Amino acid sequence: MTYPFQDRLDAGRQLARQLHAYKGRDKAIVLGLPRGGVPVAYEVALALNLRLDVFLVRKLGCPGQEELALGAVASGGVRVLNPDVVASLPGASTIVDEICARELAELERQELAYRDSRAPLDLSGATILLVDDGLATGATMRASAVAVRALGAAWITAAIPVAAEASCESLREYVDEVVAVQTPALFRSVGQFYADFGQTSDAEVRKLLARAHQEYGMER
């Protein structure tokens, strides 16, 4: 079987070619969504000579069906829910609150783990390339876009290697531009388009962010 992307780094290099117009642009920042979006974002930032940071967001998985997203929470206390999924869940209000509390605690842990004492970049007035490894329901990207907008971003481009076409369309009301390398008609999961879709570790996220800062000055 032939896969569009060998791994997330390959996906980032392919995505960067679609974003060439942003190369070296002042006040442009690449934000990777953890964990899988960070390797993609690293390659984009490297190719475009832009600063790199991580933007923390957590999916709210449906109990017993963790791949089914109830919504997501992001930095700044933003919460975005998928109303159709929430409506189908008995006792949704209590369950959603419990899941949100758990995921917010993990988000705080990630803030401490990933940044290594580096402060988040100032997004006020910035052009933001919001990068993930793929777009299925779009809840994670929507939550991120709402939070980034609240932090003062002037322009938001959602950039993904592969996306469900319907999710791209629903995302357009939250961002200024959507760039996807592929929007296949048959979309079951993001992983089906990668030869290697192994889980990205916290250690890999830290390593890439540190490398961006030390070798390329992308975080300053």
Side-chain angles (χ1 to χ4, degrees):
M1 179 176 179
T2 301
Y3 294 90
F5 312 109
Q6 180 61 35
D7 55 20
R8 291 179 177 89
L9 297 176
D10 174 50
R13 289 188 286 268
Q14 293 191 44
L15 180 58
R17 291 196 286 270
Q18 303 288 325
L19 297 165
H20 184 76
Y22 292 96
K23 187 169 184 176
R25 185 177 295 188
D26 289 341
K27 298 206 75 175
I29 298 170
V30 179
L31 296 181
L33 304 187
R35 289 184 297 253
V38 174
V40 182
Y42 174 83
E43 291 292 335
V44 169
L46 178 60
L48 302 183
N49 193 28
L50 298 176
R51 290 176 294 167
L52 173 68
D53 203 355
V54 61
F55 192 77
L56 294 165
V57 61
R58 296 285 299 174
K59 182 174 72 174
L60 306 176
C62 192
Q65 303 179 68
E66 296 301 323
E67 290 303 311
L68 182 61
L70 287 166
V73 291
S75 294
V78 174
R79 182 170 79 168
V80 176
L81 298 179
N82 183 336
D84 293 336
V85 177
V86 172
S88 68
L89 185 66
S93 179
T94 299
I95 292 172
V96 168
D97 286 345
E98 290 175 352
I99 295 172
C100 277
R102 183 178 70 238
E103 295 302 337
L104 283 169
E106 174 61 12
L107 191 148
E108 291 175 4
R109 183 198 69 79
Q110 289 180 332
E111 285 273 8
L112 294 173
Y114 295 159
R115 294 192 184 283
D116 192 25
S117 79
R118 294 184 297 270
L121 293 177
D122 181 8
L123 307 186
S124 179
T127 294
I128 301 299
L129 304 183
L130 203 52
V131 178
D132 206 352
D133 54 12
L135 195 71
T137 66
T140 300
M141 186 66 80
R142 288 196 300 273
S144 300
V146 170
V148 166
R149 190 77 75 187
L151 292 170
W155 177 276
I156 302 173
T157 293
I160 48 270
V162 62
E165 190 171 352
S167 296
C168 277
E169 290 305 313
S170 65
L171 182 61
R172 293 185 192 280
E173 68 176 281
Y174 297 88
V175 301
D176 300 289
E177 180 186 28
V178 178
V179 175
V181 178
Q182 296 205 6
T183 54
L186 297 176
F187 189 106
R188 297 188 301 275
S189 68
V190 173
Q192 78 184 88
F193 302 100
Y194 286 80
D196 178 1
F197 198 64
Q199 186 174 20
T200 302
S201 67
D202 284 350
E204 184 178 358
V205 171
R206 288 194 298 271
K207 179 181 73 174
L208 290 173
L209 292 174
R211 184 185 299 169
H213 170 56
Q214 294 168 3
E215 297 183 9
Y216 303 102
M218 293 179 186
E219 291 187 356
R220 297 294 186 195

PDB file of all heavy atoms in Angstrom, residues 42 51-52 115-116 118 121 206-220:
ATOM      1  N   TYR A  42       7.330  21.507  13.439  1.00  0.00           N
ATOM      2  CA  TYR A  42       8.775  21.726  13.446  1.00  0.00           C
ATOM      3  C   TYR A  42       9.309  21.830  12.021  1.00  0.00           C
ATOM      4  O   TYR A  42      10.082  22.737  11.690  1.00  0.00           O
ATOM      5  CB  TYR A  42       9.466  20.590  14.194  1.00  0.00           C
ATOM      6  CG  TYR A  42      10.977  20.673  14.125  1.00  0.00           C
ATOM      7  CD1 TYR A  42      11.681  21.491  14.995  1.00  0.00           C
ATOM      8  CD2 TYR A  42      11.684  19.947  13.178  1.00  0.00           C
ATOM      9  CE1 TYR A  42      13.067  21.592  14.923  1.00  0.00           C
ATOM     10  CE2 TYR A  42      13.064  20.037  13.096  1.00  0.00           C
ATOM     11  CZ  TYR A  42      13.752  20.853  13.972  1.00  0.00           C
ATOM     12  OH  TYR A  42      15.117  20.944  13.889  1.00  0.00           O
ATOM     13  N   ARG A  51       9.332  31.326  13.690  1.00  0.00           N
ATOM     14  CA  ARG A  51       9.393  30.897  15.090  1.00  0.00           C
ATOM     15  C   ARG A  51       8.404  29.754  15.333  1.00  0.00           C
ATOM     16  O   ARG A  51       7.348  29.679  14.702  1.00  0.00           O
ATOM     17  CB  ARG A  51       9.070  32.066  16.013  1.00  0.00           C
ATOM     18  CG  ARG A  51      10.152  33.133  16.060  1.00  0.00           C
ATOM     19  CD  ARG A  51       9.714  34.303  16.913  1.00  0.00           C
ATOM     20  NE  ARG A  51       8.580  34.999  16.319  1.00  0.00           N
ATOM     21  CZ  ARG A  51       7.838  35.905  16.946  1.00  0.00           C
ATOM     22  NH1 ARG A  51       8.089  36.195  18.206  1.00  0.00           N
ATOM     23  NH2 ARG A  51       6.845  36.506  16.330  1.00  0.00           N
ATOM     24  N   LEU A  52       8.779  28.900  16.281  1.00  0.00           N
ATOM     25  CA  LEU A  52       7.959  27.739  16.624  1.00  0.00           C
ATOM     26  C   LEU A  52       7.609  27.761  18.098  1.00  0.00           C
ATOM     27  O   LEU A  52       8.443  28.080  18.945  1.00  0.00           O
ATOM     28  CB  LEU A  52       8.732  26.453  16.316  1.00  0.00           C
ATOM     29  CG  LEU A  52       8.094  25.129  16.777  1.00  0.00           C
ATOM     30  CD1 LEU A  52       6.829  24.830  15.973  1.00  0.00           C
ATOM     31  CD2 LEU A  52       9.099  23.989  16.655  1.00  0.00           C
ATOM     32  N   ARG A 115       7.743  23.312  28.038  1.00  0.00           N
ATOM     33  CA  ARG A 115       8.350  24.618  27.803  1.00  0.00           C
ATOM     34  C   ARG A 115       9.733  24.775  28.428  1.00  0.00           C
ATOM     35  O   ARG A 115      10.497  25.653  28.018  1.00  0.00           O
ATOM     36  CB  ARG A 115       7.428  25.720  28.311  1.00  0.00           C
ATOM     37  CG  ARG A 115       6.140  25.811  27.537  1.00  0.00           C
ATOM     38  CD  ARG A 115       5.393  27.087  27.862  1.00  0.00           C
ATOM     39  NE  ARG A 115       4.108  27.131  27.174  1.00  0.00           N
ATOM     40  CZ  ARG A 115       3.970  27.421  25.888  1.00  0.00           C
ATOM     41  NH1 ARG A 115       5.024  27.698  25.163  1.00  0.00           N
ATOM     42  NH2 ARG A 115       2.767  27.432  25.329  1.00  0.00           N
ATOM     43  N   ASP A 116      10.056  23.954  29.441  1.00  0.00           N
ATOM     44  CA  ASP A 116      11.379  24.043  30.056  1.00  0.00           C
ATOM     45  C   ASP A 116      11.668  25.472  30.498  1.00  0.00           C
ATOM     46  O   ASP A 116      12.722  26.040  30.194  1.00  0.00           O
ATOM     47  CB  ASP A 116      12.452  23.549  29.073  1.00  0.00           C
ATOM     48  CG  ASP A 116      13.796  23.356  29.750  1.00  0.00           C
ATOM     49  OD1 ASP A 116      13.817  23.131  30.965  1.00  0.00           O
ATOM     50  OD2 ASP A 116      14.820  23.434  29.045  1.00  0.00           O
ATOM     51  N   ARG A 118      10.550  28.217  29.417  1.00  0.00           N
ATOM     52  CA  ARG A 118      10.361  29.261  28.400  1.00  0.00           C
ATOM     53  C   ARG A 118       8.913  29.742  28.415  1.00  0.00           C
ATOM     54  O   ARG A 118       7.987  28.937  28.425  1.00  0.00           O
ATOM     55  CB  ARG A 118      10.715  28.729  27.009  1.00  0.00           C
ATOM     56  CG  ARG A 118      12.180  28.394  26.824  1.00  0.00           C
ATOM     57  CD  ARG A 118      12.459  27.976  25.387  1.00  0.00           C
ATOM     58  NE  ARG A 118      11.746  26.764  25.030  1.00  0.00           N
ATOM     59  CZ  ARG A 118      12.248  25.528  25.182  1.00  0.00           C
ATOM     60  NH1 ARG A 118      13.447  25.355  25.690  1.00  0.00           N
ATOM     61  NH2 ARG A 118      11.548  24.467  24.804  1.00  0.00           N
ATOM     62  N   LEU A 121       5.086  32.353  23.478  1.00  0.00           N
ATOM     63  CA  LEU A 121       5.283  33.511  22.613  1.00  0.00           C
ATOM     64  C   LEU A 121       4.067  34.426  22.678  1.00  0.00           C
ATOM     65  O   LEU A 121       2.932  33.971  22.850  1.00  0.00           O
ATOM     66  CB  LEU A 121       5.514  33.058  21.174  1.00  0.00           C
ATOM     67  CG  LEU A 121       6.816  32.302  20.902  1.00  0.00           C
ATOM     68  CD1 LEU A 121       6.862  31.861  19.438  1.00  0.00           C
ATOM     69  CD2 LEU A 121       8.033  33.149  21.227  1.00  0.00           C
ATOM     70  N   ARG A 206       9.533  17.814  23.683  1.00  0.00           N
ATOM     71  CA  ARG A 206      10.543  18.648  24.343  1.00  0.00           C
ATOM     72  C   ARG A 206      11.795  18.781  23.488  1.00  0.00           C
ATOM     73  O   ARG A 206      12.377  19.870  23.366  1.00  0.00           O
ATOM     74  CB  ARG A 206      10.903  18.055  25.708  1.00  0.00           C
ATOM     75  CG  ARG A 206       9.830  18.207  26.764  1.00  0.00           C
ATOM     76  CD  ARG A 206      10.376  17.927  28.146  1.00  0.00           C
ATOM     77  NE  ARG A 206      10.871  16.562  28.278  1.00  0.00           N
ATOM     78  CZ  ARG A 206      10.125  15.529  28.662  1.00  0.00           C
ATOM     79  NH1 ARG A 206       8.842  15.721  28.933  1.00  0.00           N
ATOM     80  NH2 ARG A 206      10.635  14.328  28.766  1.00  0.00           N
ATOM     81  N   LYS A 207      12.221  17.669  22.882  1.00  0.00           N
ATOM     82  CA  LYS A 207      13.435  17.680  22.079  1.00  0.00           C
ATOM     83  C   LYS A 207      13.289  18.612  20.871  1.00  0.00           C
ATOM     84  O   LYS A 207      14.198  19.396  20.570  1.00  0.00           O
ATOM     85  CB  LYS A 207      13.750  16.258  21.605  1.00  0.00           C
ATOM     86  CG  LYS A 207      14.997  16.161  20.740  1.00  0.00           C
ATOM     87  CD  LYS A 207      15.245  14.721  20.292  1.00  0.00           C
ATOM     88  CE  LYS A 207      14.237  14.309  19.232  1.00  0.00           C
ATOM     89  NZ  LYS A 207      14.538  12.961  18.673  1.00  0.00           N
ATOM     90  N   LEU A 208      12.166  18.532  20.184  1.00  0.00           N
ATOM     91  CA  LEU A 208      11.979  19.363  18.995  1.00  0.00           C
ATOM     92  C   LEU A 208      11.877  20.841  19.356  1.00  0.00           C
ATOM     93  O   LEU A 208      12.431  21.696  18.654  1.00  0.00           O
ATOM     94  CB  LEU A 208      10.736  18.901  18.232  1.00  0.00           C
ATOM     95  CG  LEU A 208      10.857  17.541  17.546  1.00  0.00           C
ATOM     96  CD1 LEU A 208       9.503  17.116  16.981  1.00  0.00           C
ATOM     97  CD2 LEU A 208      11.910  17.564  16.450  1.00  0.00           C
ATOM     98  N   LEU A 209      11.185  21.165  20.432  1.00  0.00           N
ATOM     99  CA  LEU A 209      11.074  22.562  20.841  1.00  0.00           C
ATOM    100  C   LEU A 209      12.429  23.107  21.269  1.00  0.00           C
ATOM    101  O   LEU A 209      12.788  24.245  20.943  1.00  0.00           O
ATOM    102  CB  LEU A 209      10.061  22.700  21.977  1.00  0.00           C
ATOM    103  CG  LEU A 209       8.599  22.430  21.611  1.00  0.00           C
ATOM    104  CD1 LEU A 209       7.733  22.460  22.865  1.00  0.00           C
ATOM    105  CD2 LEU A 209       8.089  23.423  20.587  1.00  0.00           C
ATOM    106  N   ALA A 210      13.189  22.291  22.007  1.00  0.00           N
ATOM    107  CA  ALA A 210      14.526  22.729  22.427  1.00  0.00           C
ATOM    108  C   ALA A 210      15.448  22.894  21.224  1.00  0.00           C
ATOM    109  O   ALA A 210      16.225  23.861  21.149  1.00  0.00           O
ATOM    110  CB  ALA A 210      15.113  21.716  23.409  1.00  0.00           C
ATOM    111  N   ARG A 211      15.357  21.971  20.260  1.00  0.00           N
ATOM    112  CA  ARG A 211      16.190  22.062  19.060  1.00  0.00           C
ATOM    113  C   ARG A 211      15.846  23.322  18.265  1.00  0.00           C
ATOM    114  O   ARG A 211      16.730  24.016  17.761  1.00  0.00           O
ATOM    115  CB  ARG A 211      16.006  20.820  18.197  1.00  0.00           C
ATOM    116  CG  ARG A 211      16.913  20.787  16.971  1.00  0.00           C
ATOM    117  CD  ARG A 211      16.590  19.583  16.107  1.00  0.00           C
ATOM    118  NE  ARG A 211      16.800  18.335  16.804  1.00  0.00           N
ATOM    119  CZ  ARG A 211      16.395  17.145  16.343  1.00  0.00           C
ATOM    120  NH1 ARG A 211      15.727  17.071  15.188  1.00  0.00           N
ATOM    121  NH2 ARG A 211      16.635  16.054  17.026  1.00  0.00           N
ATOM    122  N   ALA A 212      14.562  23.622  18.163  1.00  0.00           N
ATOM    123  CA  ALA A 212      14.135  24.824  17.449  1.00  0.00           C
ATOM    124  C   ALA A 212      14.726  26.067  18.101  1.00  0.00           C
ATOM    125  O   ALA A 212      15.187  26.993  17.422  1.00  0.00           O
ATOM    126  CB  ALA A 212      12.616  24.906  17.422  1.00  0.00           C
ATOM    127  N   HIS A 213      14.710  26.087  19.413  1.00  0.00           N
ATOM    128  CA  HIS A 213      15.237  27.243  20.131  1.00  0.00           C
ATOM    129  C   HIS A 213      16.759  27.331  20.024  1.00  0.00           C
ATOM    130  O   HIS A 213      17.327  28.388  19.719  1.00  0.00           O
ATOM    131  CB  HIS A 213      14.837  27.160  21.602  1.00  0.00           C
ATOM    132  CG  HIS A 213      15.512  28.172  22.475  1.00  0.00           C
ATOM    133  ND1 HIS A 213      15.439  29.524  22.235  1.00  0.00           N
ATOM    134  CD2 HIS A 213      16.282  28.023  23.576  1.00  0.00           C
ATOM    135  CE1 HIS A 213      16.134  30.165  23.158  1.00  0.00           C
ATOM    136  NE2 HIS A 213      16.662  29.272  23.979  1.00  0.00           N
ATOM    137  N   GLN A 214      17.438  26.218  20.237  1.00  0.00           N
ATOM    138  CA  GLN A 214      18.899  26.231  20.314  1.00  0.00           C
ATOM    139  C   GLN A 214      19.569  26.373  18.951  1.00  0.00           C
ATOM    140  O   GLN A 214      20.547  27.114  18.801  1.00  0.00           O
ATOM    141  CB  GLN A 214      19.380  24.947  20.994  1.00  0.00           C
ATOM    142  CG  GLN A 214      18.965  24.862  22.455  1.00  0.00           C
ATOM    143  CD  GLN A 214      19.190  23.478  23.043  1.00  0.00           C
ATOM    144  OE1 GLN A 214      19.712  22.580  22.384  1.00  0.00           O
ATOM    145  NE2 GLN A 214      18.791  23.297  24.289  1.00  0.00           N
ATOM    146  N   GLU A 215      19.049  25.659  17.957  1.00  0.00           N
ATOM    147  CA  GLU A 215      19.736  25.617  16.667  1.00  0.00           C
ATOM    148  C   GLU A 215      19.238  26.655  15.676  1.00  0.00           C
ATOM    149  O   GLU A 215      19.999  27.127  14.830  1.00  0.00           O
ATOM    150  CB  GLU A 215      19.602  24.223  16.044  1.00  0.00           C
ATOM    151  CG  GLU A 215      20.262  23.124  16.882  1.00  0.00           C
ATOM    152  CD  GLU A 215      20.188  21.784  16.207  1.00  0.00           C
ATOM    153  OE1 GLU A 215      19.784  21.721  15.032  1.00  0.00           O
ATOM    154  OE2 GLU A 215      20.531  20.771  16.863  1.00  0.00           O
ATOM    155  N   TYR A 216      17.950  26.980  15.760  1.00  0.00           N
ATOM    156  CA  TYR A 216      17.378  27.850  14.736  1.00  0.00           C
ATOM    157  C   TYR A 216      16.783  29.147  15.289  1.00  0.00           C
ATOM    158  O   TYR A 216      16.333  29.992  14.523  1.00  0.00           O
ATOM    159  CB  TYR A 216      16.300  27.093  13.944  1.00  0.00           C
ATOM    160  CG  TYR A 216      16.847  25.835  13.315  1.00  0.00           C
ATOM    161  CD1 TYR A 216      16.601  24.594  13.881  1.00  0.00           C
ATOM    162  CD2 TYR A 216      17.629  25.899  12.164  1.00  0.00           C
ATOM    163  CE1 TYR A 216      17.115  23.438  13.323  1.00  0.00           C
ATOM    164  CE2 TYR A 216      18.140  24.754  11.598  1.00  0.00           C
ATOM    165  CZ  TYR A 216      17.877  23.525  12.176  1.00  0.00           C
ATOM    166  OH  TYR A 216      18.399  22.392  11.615  1.00  0.00           O
ATOM    167  N   GLY A 217      16.746  29.266  16.619  1.00  0.00           N
ATOM    168  CA  GLY A 217      16.220  30.496  17.207  1.00  0.00           C
ATOM    169  C   GLY A 217      14.762  30.716  16.924  1.00  0.00           C
ATOM    170  O   GLY A 217      14.281  31.827  16.895  1.00  0.00           O
ATOM    171  N   MET A 218      14.002  29.608  16.716  1.00  0.00           N
ATOM    172  CA  MET A 218      12.596  29.759  16.299  1.00  0.00           C
ATOM    173  C   MET A 218      11.693  30.231  17.441  1.00  0.00           C
ATOM    174  O   MET A 218      10.589  30.684  17.199  1.00  0.00           O
ATOM    175  CB  MET A 218      12.065  28.429  15.777  1.00  0.00           C
ATOM    176  CG  MET A 218      12.714  27.971  14.501  1.00  0.00           C
ATOM    177  SD  MET A 218      12.028  26.379  14.024  1.00  0.00           S
ATOM    178  CE  MET A 218      13.069  25.985  12.626  1.00  0.00           C
ATOM    179  N   GLU A 219      12.109  30.078  18.683  1.00  0.00           N
ATOM    180  CA  GLU A 219      11.199  30.391  19.788  1.00  0.00           C
ATOM    181  C   GLU A 219      11.429  31.764  20.393  1.00  0.00           C
ATOM    182  O   GLU A 219      10.794  32.133  21.358  1.00  0.00           O
ATOM    183  CB  GLU A 219      11.325  29.317  20.870  1.00  0.00           C
ATOM    184  CG  GLU A 219      10.784  27.968  20.437  1.00  0.00           C
ATOM    185  CD  GLU A 219      10.758  26.979  21.576  1.00  0.00           C
ATOM    186  OE1 GLU A 219      11.214  27.309  22.670  1.00  0.00           O
ATOM    187  OE2 GLU A 219      10.258  25.869  21.364  1.00  0.00           O
ATOM    188  N   ARG A 220      12.378  32.522  19.870  1.00  0.00           N
ATOM    189  CA  ARG A 220      12.674  33.827  20.457  1.00  0.00           C
ATOM    190  C   ARG A 220      12.439  34.940  19.452  1.00  0.00           C
ATOM    191  O   ARG A 220      12.591  34.725  18.266  1.00  0.00           O
ATOM    192  CB  ARG A 220      14.120  33.852  20.952  1.00  0.00           C
ATOM    193  CG  ARG A 220      14.392  32.839  22.088  1.00  0.00           C
ATOM    194  CD  ARG A 220      13.627  33.198  23.328  1.00  0.00           C
ATOM    195  NE  ARG A 220      14.005  32.308  24.430  1.00  0.00           N
ATOM    196  CZ  ARG A 220      13.322  32.190  25.542  1.00  0.00           C
ATOM    197  NH1 ARG A 220      12.227  32.883  25.712  1.00  0.00           N
ATOM    198  NH2 ARG A 220      13.718  31.403  26.514  1.00  0.00           N
TER     199      ARG A 220
END
